[in-house]
Amino acid sequence: MKRVFFSRFSNYLDEIVRQGSVRKAADSLHISASAIDKQLIRAEDELGVSLFERLPRGMRLTSAGEVLIHRLRGWHKDLASIRREIDELQGLSRGEVRVAAPQEIASGLLPQALAAFSRDNPRITLQATVAEPERIRQMVLDGQADLGLTFSPMPLPGVTVAREMVFLPRAVVPEAEATPGQMPLDRFFARPTVVPDASTHLRDIMDIAAARSKIRRAPVLTTNSLELMRAMVRAGTGYGMAAAQPDAPLQGAEGLAFLPFPRGTMPAMTLSLITATDRTLPVAAILAKRSFEAVFDTPPVA
């Protein structure tokens, strides 16, 4: 049986069907008719059925022959697809990967993951969209993004979660005002705050923490830009909030410090790497998914 599917016979059979006779198939393939006929007889013996009806003016497939040629042609099509995918894996073809991610990681994990992938796959172009958590899932479902990174709460219908990573809220304060240890909630909310707007999951976290502690917030600015929030904190306007991996360093760039809150006072955040459940990823996106998974699996450097 294996010889039928994986020998020269699969090509012979296909050509007999196309040409309508062994002799014409032999002429097309530039081999002897007896060589093809010998392979056909051997295949029919192995399968225990006749594959063709021998007619005065050619050959016609039997029902068994119809089944076999259908399966063999499907196998050849799959094999050609596999070869194309292997070519892409070897860097012989270009591709594009579309990624959607939230603002919370736009200046941290996202560029880290994109840069790592780009270094290893310089011929594959990247398209990154920063979006709201719920829109990220919808972009993946609609095929507008191959990969999504989202803080959306579980469950996530229609998508498969490939990896998860825990993030913790951090208080963003001017480095000059940072003290060793943690940032108590009452001290944090006693200062004016630069509040993320509803497009970020951080806003949900801040509202939940304030409600649990029965603390009234004193927002001085609401913004959808986390970069603007950091700039306002740096300017001494108030305190802000950022999402960080548990082992991330406390000191940031350009005069900012990222202080942890006491355990249990702030809900943790889960970043999920998602793909559409019912869609097969192109090879370039498969490579990107593996690269992102490696970033998720690698602990942050303190």
Coordinates of all heavy atoms in Angstrom, one line a residue, residues 150-216:
T150 N -3.3 41.0 24.6 CA -4.4 41.7 25.3 C -4.5 41.4 26.7 O -4.2 40.3 27.2 CB -5.8 41.3 24.6 OG1 -6.8 42.1 25.2 CG2 -6.0 39.8 24.6
F151 N -5.0 42.4 27.5 CA -5.3 42.3 28.9 C -6.8 42.0 29.1 O -7.3 42.1 30.2 CB -4.9 43.5 29.6 CG -3.4 43.7 29.9 CD1 -2.7 44.7 29.2 CD2 -2.8 42.8 30.7 CE1 -1.4 44.9 29.4 CE2 -1.4 43.0 30.9 CZ -0.7 44.0 30.3
S152 N -7.5 41.6 28.0 CA -9.0 41.4 28.2 C -9.2 40.2 29.2 O -8.5 39.3 29.2 CB -9.6 40.9 26.8 OG -9.5 42.0 25.9
P153 N -10.2 40.4 30.0 CA -10.5 39.3 31.0 C -11.0 38.1 30.3 O -11.6 38.1 29.2 CB -11.6 39.9 31.9 CG -12.2 41.0 31.0 CD -11.1 41.5 30.1
M154 N -10.7 36.9 30.9 CA -11.1 35.6 30.4 C -12.6 35.4 30.7 O -13.1 36.0 31.7 CB -10.3 34.5 31.0 CG -8.8 34.7 30.8 SD -8.4 34.6 29.0 CE -8.5 32.8 28.8
P155 N -13.3 34.6 29.9 CA -12.8 33.9 28.8 C -12.8 34.8 27.5 O -13.4 35.8 27.5 CB -13.9 32.7 28.6 CG -15.1 33.3 29.1 CD -14.7 34.3 30.2
L156 N -12.2 34.3 26.5 CA -12.1 35.0 25.2 C -12.7 34.2 24.1 O -11.9 33.4 23.5 CB -10.6 35.4 24.9 CG -9.9 36.3 25.9 CD1 -8.4 36.4 25.6 CD2 -10.5 37.7 25.9
P157 N -14.0 34.3 23.9 CA -14.6 33.4 22.8 C -14.0 33.6 21.5 O -13.7 34.7 21.0 CB -16.1 33.9 22.9 CG -16.2 34.6 24.2 CD -14.9 35.2 24.5
G158 N -13.8 32.5 20.8 CA -13.3 32.5 19.4 C -11.8 32.6 19.2 O -11.3 32.6 18.1
V159 N -11.1 32.7 20.3 CA -9.6 32.8 20.2 C -9.0 31.8 21.1 O -9.5 31.3 22.0 CB -9.0 34.2 20.6 CG1 -9.6 35.3 19.7 CG2 -9.3 34.5 22.0
T160 N -7.7 31.4 20.7 CA -6.9 30.5 21.5 C -5.8 31.2 22.2 O -5.1 32.0 21.6 CB -6.3 29.4 20.6 OG1 -7.4 28.7 19.9 CG2 -5.4 28.4 21.3
V161 N -5.7 31.0 23.5 CA -4.6 31.6 24.2 C -3.4 30.8 24.2 O -3.3 29.6 24.7 CB -5.0 31.9 25.7 CG1 -3.9 32.5 26.5 CG2 -6.3 32.7 25.8
A162 N -2.3 31.3 23.5 CA -1.1 30.5 23.4 C -0.2 30.7 24.6 O 0.5 29.7 24.9 CB -0.3 31.0 22.1
R163 N -0.1 31.8 25.2 CA 0.7 32.1 26.3 C 0.1 33.1 27.2 O -0.7 33.9 26.7 CB 2.1 32.6 25.9 CG 3.0 31.6 25.3 CD 3.5 30.5 26.3 NE 4.6 29.7 25.8 CZ 4.4 28.7 25.0 NH1 3.2 28.3 24.6 NH2 5.4 27.9 24.5
E164 N 0.4 33.1 28.5 CA 0.0 34.1 29.4 C 1.1 34.6 30.2 O 2.1 33.9 30.5 CB -1.1 33.6 30.4 CG -2.4 33.3 29.7 CD -3.5 32.8 30.7 OE1 -3.1 32.3 31.7 OE2 -4.7 32.9 30.4
M165 N 1.0 35.9 30.7 CA 2.1 36.5 31.5 C 1.5 37.4 32.5 O 0.6 38.2 32.1 CB 3.1 37.3 30.6 CG 4.2 37.9 31.3 SD 5.2 38.9 30.2 CE 6.0 37.6 29.2
V166 N 1.9 37.3 33.7 CA 1.4 38.2 34.8 C 2.1 39.5 34.8 O 3.3 39.6 34.7 CB 1.5 37.5 36.1 CG1 1.1 38.4 37.3 CG2 0.7 36.2 36.2
F167 N 1.3 40.6 34.9 CA 1.8 41.9 35.1 C 1.2 42.5 36.4 O 0.1 42.1 36.7 CB 1.4 42.8 33.9 CG 2.3 42.8 32.7 CD1 2.3 41.6 31.9 CD2 3.1 43.8 32.4 CE1 3.1 41.5 30.8 CE2 3.9 43.7 31.2 CZ 3.9 42.6 30.5
L168 N 1.9 43.4 37.0 CA 1.5 44.0 38.2 C 1.5 45.5 38.0 O 2.4 46.1 37.4 CB 2.3 43.6 39.4 CG 2.4 42.1 39.8 CD1 3.4 41.9 40.9 CD2 1.0 41.6 40.2
P169 N 0.4 46.2 38.6 CA 0.4 47.6 38.5 C 1.6 48.2 39.3 O 1.9 47.7 40.4 CB -0.9 48.0 39.1 CG -1.8 46.8 39.0 CD -0.8 45.6 39.2
R170 N 2.2 49.3 38.8 CA 3.2 50.0 39.6 C 2.9 51.4 39.6 O 2.3 52.0 38.7 CB 4.6 49.8 38.9 CG 5.2 48.4 38.9 CD 6.0 48.1 40.1 NE 6.7 46.8 40.1 CZ 7.9 46.6 39.6 NH1 8.6 47.7 39.1 NH2 8.4 45.4 39.6
A171 N 3.2 52.1 40.7 CA 3.1 53.5 40.9 C 4.2 54.2 40.1 O 5.4 53.9 40.3 CB 3.1 53.9 42.3
V172 N 3.9 55.1 39.2 CA 4.9 55.9 38.5 C 5.1 57.2 39.2 O 4.2 58.0 39.3 CB 4.5 56.1 37.0 CG1 5.6 56.8 36.3 CG2 4.2 54.8 36.4
V173 N 6.3 57.4 39.8 CA 6.6 58.6 40.6 C 7.9 59.3 40.1 O 8.7 58.6 39.5 CB 6.6 58.3 42.1 CG1 5.4 57.6 42.5 CG2 7.8 57.5 42.4
P174 N 8.1 60.6 40.3 CA 9.4 61.2 40.0 C 10.5 60.5 40.8 O 10.3 60.1 42.0 CB 9.2 62.6 40.4 CG 7.7 62.9 40.4 CD 7.1 61.6 40.8
E175 N 11.6 60.2 40.2 CA 12.7 59.5 40.9 C 13.1 60.2 42.2 O 13.4 59.6 43.2 CB 13.9 59.4 40.0 CG 14.9 58.4 40.5 CD 16.0 58.2 39.5 OE1 16.1 59.0 38.5 OE2 16.7 57.2 39.6
A176 N 13.0 61.5 42.2 CA 13.4 62.3 43.4 C 12.4 62.0 44.6 O 12.8 62.2 45.7 CB 13.4 63.8 43.1
E177 N 11.2 61.6 44.3 CA 10.2 61.4 45.4 C 10.1 59.9 45.8 O 9.4 59.5 46.7 CB 8.8 61.9 45.0 CG 8.8 63.4 44.7 CD 7.4 63.8 44.4 OE1 6.4 63.2 44.9 OE2 7.2 64.8 43.7
A178 N 10.9 59.0 45.1 CA 10.8 57.6 45.4 C 11.5 57.3 46.7 O 12.6 57.8 47.0 CB 11.5 56.8 44.2
T179 N 10.9 56.4 47.5 CA 11.5 55.9 48.7 C 11.6 54.4 48.6 O 10.8 53.8 47.9 CB 10.6 56.4 49.9 OG1 9.3 55.8 49.7 CG2 10.6 57.9 50.1
P180 N 12.5 53.8 49.4 CA 12.6 52.4 49.3 C 11.4 51.7 49.8 O 10.6 52.2 50.6 CB 13.8 52.1 50.3 CG 14.5 53.4 50.4 CD 13.5 54.5 50.2
G181 N 11.1 50.5 49.2 CA 9.9 49.8 49.6 C 8.7 50.0 48.7 O 8.9 50.3 47.5
Q182 N 7.6 49.8 49.2 CA 6.3 49.8 48.4 C 5.6 51.1 48.5 O 5.9 51.9 49.4 CB 5.4 48.6 48.9 CG 6.1 47.3 48.8 CD 5.2 46.2 49.4 OE1 4.5 46.4 50.3 NE2 5.3 45.0 48.8
M183 N 4.6 51.3 47.7 CA 3.8 52.5 47.6 C 2.4 52.2 48.2 O 1.6 51.5 47.6 CB 3.7 53.0 46.2 CG 2.6 54.1 46.0 SD 3.0 55.6 46.9 CE 4.4 56.2 45.9
P184 N 2.1 52.6 49.5 CA 0.8 52.4 50.0 C -0.3 53.1 49.2 O 0.0 54.2 48.7 CB 0.9 52.9 51.4 CG 2.4 53.0 51.7 CD 3.1 53.3 50.4
L185 N -1.4 52.5 49.2 CA -2.5 53.1 48.4 C -2.9 54.5 48.9 O -3.2 55.4 48.1 CB -3.7 52.2 48.4 CG -3.8 51.0 47.4 CD1 -5.1 50.3 47.5 CD2 -3.4 51.4 46.0
D186 N -3.0 54.6 50.2 CA -3.4 55.9 50.7 C -2.4 57.0 50.3 O -2.8 58.1 50.0 CB -3.6 55.9 52.2 CG -2.4 55.4 53.0 OD1 -1.4 55.0 52.3 OD2 -2.5 55.3 54.2
R187 N -1.1 56.7 50.3 CA -0.1 57.7 49.9 C -0.2 57.9 48.4 O -0.1 59.1 48.0 CB 1.3 57.1 50.3 CG 2.4 58.1 49.8 CD 3.7 57.4 50.1 NE 4.8 58.1 49.3 CZ 6.0 57.6 49.1 NH1 6.3 56.4 49.5 NH2 6.9 58.2 48.4
F188 N -0.5 56.9 47.7 CA -0.6 57.1 46.2 C -1.8 58.0 45.9 O -1.7 59.0 45.1 CB -0.7 55.7 45.5 CG -1.0 55.8 44.0 CD1 0.1 56.0 43.2 CD2 -2.2 55.6 43.5 CE1 -0.1 56.1 41.8 CE2 -2.4 55.7 42.1 CZ -1.3 55.9 41.3
F189 N -2.9 57.7 46.4 CA -4.1 58.4 46.1 C -4.2 59.8 46.8 O -5.1 60.6 46.4 CB -5.4 57.6 46.4 CG -5.7 56.5 45.4 CD1 -5.6 55.2 45.8 CD2 -5.9 56.8 44.1 CE1 -5.9 54.2 44.9 CE2 -6.1 55.8 43.1 CZ -6.1 54.5 43.5
A190 N -3.3 60.0 47.8 CA -3.3 61.3 48.4 C -2.7 62.4 47.5 O -3.0 63.6 47.7 CB -2.5 61.3 49.7
R191 N -2.0 62.0 46.5 CA -1.4 62.9 45.5 C -2.3 63.0 44.3 O -3.1 62.1 44.0 CB 0.0 62.4 45.1 CG 1.1 62.5 46.1 CD 1.4 63.9 46.4 NE 1.7 64.7 45.2 CZ 2.9 64.8 44.7 NH1 3.9 64.2 45.3 NH2 3.1 65.5 43.6
P192 N -2.3 64.1 43.6 CA -3.0 64.2 42.3 C -2.5 63.0 41.4 O -1.4 62.6 41.4 CB -2.6 65.6 41.7 CG -2.1 66.4 42.9 CD -1.5 65.4 43.9
T193 N -3.4 62.5 40.6 CA -3.1 61.4 39.8 C -3.3 61.7 38.3 O -4.3 62.5 38.0 CB -3.9 60.1 40.1 OG1 -5.3 60.5 40.2 CG2 -3.5 59.6 41.5
V194 N -2.5 61.2 37.5 CA -2.7 61.3 36.0 C -3.3 60.0 35.6 O -2.7 58.9 35.7 CB -1.3 61.5 35.3 CG1 -1.5 61.7 33.8 CG2 -0.6 62.7 35.9
V195 N -4.5 60.0 35.2 CA -5.4 58.8 35.1 C -5.4 58.3 33.6 O -5.8 59.1 32.8 CB -6.8 59.1 35.6 CG1 -7.7 57.8 35.5 CG2 -6.7 59.6 37.1
P196 N -5.2 57.1 33.4 CA -5.4 56.5 32.1 C -6.9 56.5 31.8 O -7.8 56.4 32.7 CB -4.9 55.1 32.1 CG -4.1 55.0 33.4 CD -4.6 56.0 34.3
D197 N -7.3 56.7 30.5 CA -8.7 56.7 30.2 C -9.2 55.3 30.0 O -8.5 54.3 30.2 CB -9.0 57.6 28.9 CG -8.6 56.9 27.6 OD1 -8.0 55.8 27.7 OD2 -8.8 57.5 26.6
A198 N -10.5 55.2 29.7 CA -11.2 53.9 29.7 C -10.6 52.9 28.6 O -11.0 51.8 28.5 CB -12.7 54.0 29.5
S199 N -9.8 53.4 27.7 CA -9.3 52.6 26.6 C -8.2 51.6 27.1 O -7.7 50.8 26.4 CB -8.7 53.4 25.5 OG -7.6 54.2 25.9
T200 N -7.7 51.8 28.3 CA -6.7 51.0 28.9 C -7.2 50.1 30.0 O -8.1 50.5 30.8 CB -5.5 51.8 29.4 OG1 -5.8 52.5 30.5 CG2 -5.0 52.7 28.3
H201 N -6.6 48.9 30.2 CA -7.0 48.1 31.3 C -6.5 48.7 32.6 O -7.0 48.4 33.7 CB -6.4 46.7 31.1 CG -6.9 45.7 32.1 ND1 -8.3 45.5 32.3 CD2 -6.3 44.8 32.9 CE1 -8.5 44.5 33.1 NE2 -7.3 44.1 33.5
L202 N -5.4 49.5 32.6 CA -4.9 50.1 33.8 C -6.0 51.0 34.5 O -6.0 51.1 35.7 CB -3.7 51.0 33.5 CG -2.4 50.3 33.4 CD1 -1.3 51.2 32.9 CD2 -2.0 49.8 34.8
R203 N -6.9 51.6 33.7 CA -7.9 52.5 34.3 C -8.9 51.6 35.1 O -9.3 52.0 36.2 CB -8.7 53.2 33.2 CG -9.9 53.9 33.7 CD -9.5 55.0 34.7 NE -10.7 55.8 35.1 CZ -11.2 56.9 34.5 NH1 -10.6 57.3 33.4 NH2 -12.2 57.5 34.9
D204 N -9.2 50.4 34.6 CA -10.0 49.5 35.4 C -9.4 49.1 36.7 O -10.0 49.1 37.8 CB -10.3 48.2 34.6 CG -11.1 48.5 33.3 OD1 -11.8 49.5 33.3 OD2 -11.0 47.7 32.3
I205 N -8.1 48.8 36.6 CA -7.3 48.4 37.8 C -7.3 49.5 38.9 O -7.6 49.3 40.1 CB -5.9 48.1 37.5 CG1 -5.9 46.8 36.5 CG2 -5.0 47.8 38.7 CD1 -6.4 45.6 37.2
M206 N -7.1 50.8 38.4 CA -7.1 51.9 39.3 C -8.4 52.2 40.0 O -8.5 52.4 41.2 CB -6.6 53.2 38.5 CG -6.5 54.4 39.4 SD -5.9 55.9 38.5 CE -4.2 55.5 38.3
D207 N -9.5 52.0 39.2 CA -10.9 52.3 39.7 C -11.2 51.2 40.7 O -11.8 51.5 41.7 CB -11.9 52.3 38.5 CG -11.8 53.5 37.7 OD1 -11.1 54.5 38.1 OD2 -12.3 53.5 36.6
I208 N -10.9 49.9 40.4 CA -11.2 48.8 41.3 C -10.4 49.0 42.7 O -11.0 48.9 43.7 CB -10.8 47.5 40.7 CG1 -11.7 47.1 39.5 CG2 -10.8 46.3 41.7 CD1 -11.2 45.9 38.7
A209 N -9.1 49.4 42.6 CA -8.4 49.6 43.8 C -8.9 50.7 44.7 O -9.0 50.6 45.9 CB -6.9 49.8 43.5
A210 N -9.3 51.8 44.0 CA -9.8 53.0 44.7 C -11.2 52.6 45.4 O -11.5 53.0 46.5 CB -10.0 54.2 43.8
A211 N -12.0 51.9 44.7 CA -13.3 51.5 45.2 C -13.2 50.5 46.4 O -13.9 50.7 47.4 CB -14.2 50.9 44.1
R212 N -12.3 49.6 46.3 CA -12.1 48.6 47.4 C -11.6 49.3 48.6 O -12.0 49.0 49.8 CB -11.1 47.6 47.0 CG -11.6 46.5 46.0 CD -10.5 45.5 45.7 NE -10.9 44.5 44.8 CZ -10.1 43.6 44.3 NH1 -8.8 43.6 44.6 NH2 -10.6 42.6 43.5
S213 N -10.8 50.3 48.5 CA -10.2 51.0 49.6 C -11.0 52.2 50.1 O -10.7 52.9 51.0 CB -8.8 51.5 49.3 OG -8.0 50.4 48.9
K214 N -12.1 52.4 49.3 CA -13.0 53.6 49.6 C -12.2 54.9 49.7 O -12.4 55.7 50.5 CB -13.7 53.4 51.0 CG -14.7 52.2 51.0 CD -15.4 52.0 52.3 CE -16.5 51.0 52.3 NZ -16.0 49.6 51.8
I215 N -11.3 55.0 48.7 CA -10.5 56.2 48.6 C -11.0 57.1 47.4 O -11.3 56.5 46.3 CB -9.0 55.8 48.4 CG1 -8.5 55.1 49.6 CG2 -8.2 57.1 48.1 CD1 -7.1 54.6 49.4
R216 N -11.1 58.3 47.6 CA -11.5 59.2 46.5 C -10.3 59.6 45.7 O -9.3 60.2 46.3 CB -12.2 60.4 47.1 CG -12.8 61.4 46.0 CD -13.4 62.6 46.6 NE -14.6 62.2 47.4 CZ -15.8 62.0 46.9 NH1 -16.0 62.2 45.6 NH2 -16.8 61.7 47.7

